[in-house]
Amino acid sequence: MYDVVIIGGGPGGYAAALYAHNFNLSVALVEKERLGGTCLLRGCIPAKTWLKTAEVYVTVKKASEFGVNAGEPSVDWTAALNRKNSVVDRLVKGLTGLLKTRNVEVFDGYGRLAGGGVEVTDDNGEVHRLEARNVIVATGSKPRAIPGYEFDGNRVASSRDALDWEERPDRVAIIGAGAIGSEFASLLGDTGSEVHLFEMLDQVIPGAEPEAAKTLNREFKKKGIKVRTGVGVGPAEVHDDRVVIPFEGDYVEVDKVLVAVGRAPVTEDIGLETTNVKVDRGFVEVNLETMMTDEPGIYAVGDIVAGTPQLAHAGFAEGIAAITHIATGEAAPVDYRAIPLVVYTHPEMASVGLTEAAAREAGYEIEVTDHGMRGVGRAIIQGEVGGLVKIINEVDGPILGATVVGPGAGEMIHELMYAVAWEALPSEAAAYIHAHPTVSEAIGETLLSAAGRSLH
Ligand SMILES: Cc1cc2nc3c(=O)[nH]c(=O)nc-3n(C[C@H](O)[C@H](O)[C@H](O)COP(=O)(O)OP(=O)(O)OC[C@H]3O[C@@H](n4cnc5c(N)ncnc54)[C@H](O)[C@@H]3O)c2cc1C
């Protein structure tokens, strides 16, 4: 009998498995593929590795601006693909070793809830039963398809397929300009593809601050990406050698189309129907204080959870919360107010807390302060002045949210994460001095303005 059996070895599941050692819990982890889940195998890690290749290419291409003669660079796609695979392999190996060190028993196979435990069907069709005091379901998500764009692993690709493309498509259409679609647009645009980015809503990164989306849009256009927002596409015409995408009486012809319209939870055929677990449109409902479902002893974490962000680090935090409740009986809820979101485009966009629109909708009386990157010394040194900082605070009250666009935004956002989480007043946060010259000084300047003073 295990204290915990976990179904799914992605960020939610493996974080729970790793964290359990703090309480000496006995743990089994069931995974049907390699360990690591979407994030490690076909999401965050491979995508960011490709983006790094694009960044190096752009840096070398622009080298002469910095007085460095490097000749005309080219991308060796096979070498970049191999590097991506070796980064993933290295991390899978590290994770596998760490789980072993922590005495987590890993079972290869397909897990299903059954009579208070978990049944594991291995590759040979043999079924093993694992008895469990508690089960954590962490089965994750998969790319959503749309009618007229059935994934064929070739011309009509999901993000999973696109991360393994063996050559760079000369012409590509991307349907959906959320984080995943925009990251692919950025890296393919930077490395020389003709990119058509379609978004049905009225801006790239729907839900982000409009000024930030506008900045990103402008930077995309500089890369030659054809961005079409507020545009829905008709069903694709898939030919042997090309795809035709119709839209608004017009069309584009491309070599590949990448569909990036969101991710659907993986909750079918895992035995949920044999329990009292509530499922809403495929997402599992949990008590967000504890991550427990309506069935005592069954928890859910990660992308399958209803109403929480589909992010790896949200999954980590939920795995930790579930284990803490299992081990101690105490609720240690995730603080969703301050989970950063990073879009690793070039330039990066990062946000935390409420946007201006969300704060107004929530009924706050707010002040909004922003600051561009154009006058920021380090941004000029880096040749990357396309960016901004925007901070939202309650009138005479704490910082509620912030967005940063610019070089290193994904790293810089964490100081604002603390500001939001600790409900800092702008004047409190502005009292500390940022090192000079750094891009983060743009945050210091914005805080100072938000506190009613300004320097530059
Ligand atoms: C292209 C891309 C880029 C992304 N970039 C980022 C990023 O930069 N930052 C970020 O925070 N998030 C990113 N994400 C999202 C992130 O990958 C997910 O939020 C995260 O992986 C969710 O973790 P999870 O544990 O809930 O599920 P998953 O990672 O999907 O893992 C679920 C695991 O469960 C296994 N499984 C499913 N059913 C069963 C079963 N019945 N039996 C056994 N095993 C089963 C699956 O094989 C899988 O390994 C990205 C996603 C994509 C697609």
Side-chain angles (χ1 to χ4, degrees):
M1 169 82 78
Y2 292 94
D3 291 323
V4 194
V5 175
I6 301 164
I7 308 178
Y14 75 67
L18 291 174
Y19 198 69
H21 87 109
N22 290 300
F23 305 99
N24 289 321
L25 299 176
S26 57
V27 183
L29 177 63
V30 184
E31 171 54 60
K32 64 182 169 58
E33 299 187 40
R34 288 166 83 198
L35 288 167
T38 303
C39 179
L40 213 164
L41 304 175
R42 46 187 178 273
C44 332
I45 299 295
K48 272 32 86 170
T49 312
W50 276 115
L51 280 151
K52 182 66 195 175
T53 290
E55 183 194 321
V56 172
Y57 173 73
V58 169
T59 304
V60 177
K61 209 169 151 103
K62 288 199 311 194
S64 61
E65 283 177 31
F66 295 80
V68 177
N69 296 320
E72 185 59 28
S74 62
V75 177
D76 178 341
W77 205 260
T78 309
L81 178 59
N82 289 340
R83 179 168 190 275
K84 182 276 280 182
N85 289 335
S86 74
V87 169
V88 170
D89 289 347
R90 182 172 169 175
L91 285 166
V92 172
K93 205 168 152 203
L95 174 63
T96 308
L98 192 55
L99 286 165
K100 204 166 171 190
T101 317
R102 299 273 168 90
N103 293 322
V104 174
E105 280 191 60
V106 176
F107 291 83
D108 283 339
Y110 189 97
R112 271 186 202 85
L113 294 160
V118 172
E119 277 181 3
V120 184
T121 309
D122 69 17
D123 282 352
N124 303 320
E126 278 179 34
V127 180
H128 311 264
R129 196 178 155 75
L130 306 177
E131 299 299 337
R133 289 191 184 88
N134 301 277
V135 178
I136 300 179
V137 185
T139 43
S141 63
K142 60 181 180 194
R144 238 181 237 290
I146 44 172
Y149 289 81
E150 279 69 39
F151 297 127
D152 61 12
N154 178 25
R155 300 262 163 224
V156 184
S158 67
S159 54
R160 182 177 188 155
D161 305 320
L163 290 166
D164 282 327
W165 277 338
E166 287 177 354
E167 52 189 32
R168 180 180 60 73
D170 285 337
R171 302 170 304 169
V172 65
I174 299 174
I175 316 295
I180 295 174
S182 292
E183 288 183 2
F184 274 101
S186 180
L187 84 88
L188 291 165
D190 272 343
T191 51
S193 296
E194 175 187 314
V195 181
H196 299 268
L197 179 61
F198 290 94
E199 171 54 56
M200 208 145 87
L201 298 175
D202 60 359
Q203 64 172 45
V204 298
I205 318 290
E209 291 287 9
E211 298 88 337
K214 225 172 171 174
T215 306
L216 200 55
N217 208 338
R218 202 168 44 232
E219 296 299 318
F220 277 180
K221 285 187 176 158
K222 284 190 201 157
K223 298 180 200 299
I225 297 171
K226 303 210 169 54
V227 184
R228 295 182 180 91
T229 52
V231 173
V233 292
E237 254 178 54
V238 183
H239 301 268
D240 284 348
D241 58 345
R242 75 209 136 93
V243 188
V244 178
I245 316 269
F247 65 96
E248 295 186 340
D250 201 350
Y251 70 93
V252 293
E253 196 179 273
V254 291
D255 304 309
K256 305 260 190 199
V257 53
L258 164 62
V259 180
V261 294
R263 302 199 37 96
V266 175
T267 46
E268 276 175 13
D269 193 24
I270 54 169
L272 288 173
E273 65 291 348
T274 65
T275 68
N276 290 318
V277 174
K278 276 210 193 91
V279 178
D280 179 17
R281 280 161 288 181
F283 289 97
V284 176
E285 294 194 349
V286 299
N287 173 346
L288 289 179
E289 296 286 301
T290 62
M291 306 314 294
M292 195 157 79
T293 64
D294 280 4
E295 179 77 44
I298 298 186
Y299 294 74
V301 302
D303 280 7
I304 59 167
V305 173
T308 68
Q310 285 185 311
L311 292 170
H313 43 292
F316 295 150
E318 291 170 354
I320 290 171
I323 287 293
T324 306
H325 188 250
I326 288 169
T328 66
E330 303 285 329
V334 176
D335 189 347
Y336 291 102
R337 289 174 314 128
I339 293 190
L341 166 74
V342 181
V343 185
Y344 297 82
T345 41
H346 179 219
E348 290 181 356
M349 173 191 292
S351 63
V352 66
L354 299 178
T355 58
E356 178 180 350
R360 290 194 198 287
E361 206 177 310
Y364 287 103
E365 208 185 315
I366 57 168
E367 286 169 342
V368 178
T369 315
D370 53 26
H371 197 280
M373 291 283 175
R374 278 188 192 282
V376 178
R378 191 76 190 281
I380 296 171
I381 292 167
Q382 295 183 1
E384 306 248 356
V385 293
L388 59 87
V389 177
K390 178 171 174 181
I391 290 177
I392 317 299
N393 63 281
E394 215 176 337
V395 173
D396 296 326
I399 297 167
L400 299 170
T403 295
V404 180
V405 182
E411 304 294 337
M412 289 194 288
I413 198 66
H414 294 97
E415 64 172 286
L416 291 159
M417 171 192 78
Y418 286 121
V420 170
W422 292 343
E423 300 179 9
L425 300 173
S427 57
E428 289 171 329
Y432 301 97
I433 306 304
H434 288 77
H436 176 76
T438 58
V439 184
S440 303
E441 283 179 290
I443 296 176
E445 289 280 353
T446 318
L447 289 168
L448 204 56
S449 303
R453 291 165 275 141
S454 64
L455 180 61
H456 289 99

